[in-house]
Amino acid sequence: MFGIIIAALMLAFGIFLKVTQNPGFAQNKKFAWIFIAIGAVSLLFKILNYK
């Protein structure tokens, strides 16, 4: 359950980085797709393997 929460938070943070206009996060916007991809893939596999 903890892994699902962490994966969802990583996905949400990636989406936040993608859409934010805050200049403090401007240098980290290039990592948005990495967070989105890792979060989505890990969330998918955590949900598929959840018992």
Side-chain angles (χ1 to χ4, degrees), residues 23-44:
F25 289 108
Q27 62 188 3
N28 296 325
K29 283 180 102 59
K30 58 187 169 192
F31 296 116
W33 285 114
I34 295 170
F35 278 113
I36 292 171
I38 292 172
V41 169
S42 61
L43 185 64
L44 176 71

Side-chain angles (χ1 to χ4, degrees), residues 12-33:
F13 183 67
I15 292 170
F16 167 75
L17 279 180
K18 191 70 178 160
V19 299
T20 189
Q21 300 297 324
N22 189 333
F25 289 108
Q27 62 188 3
N28 296 325
K29 283 180 102 59
K30 58 187 169 192
F31 296 116
W33 285 114

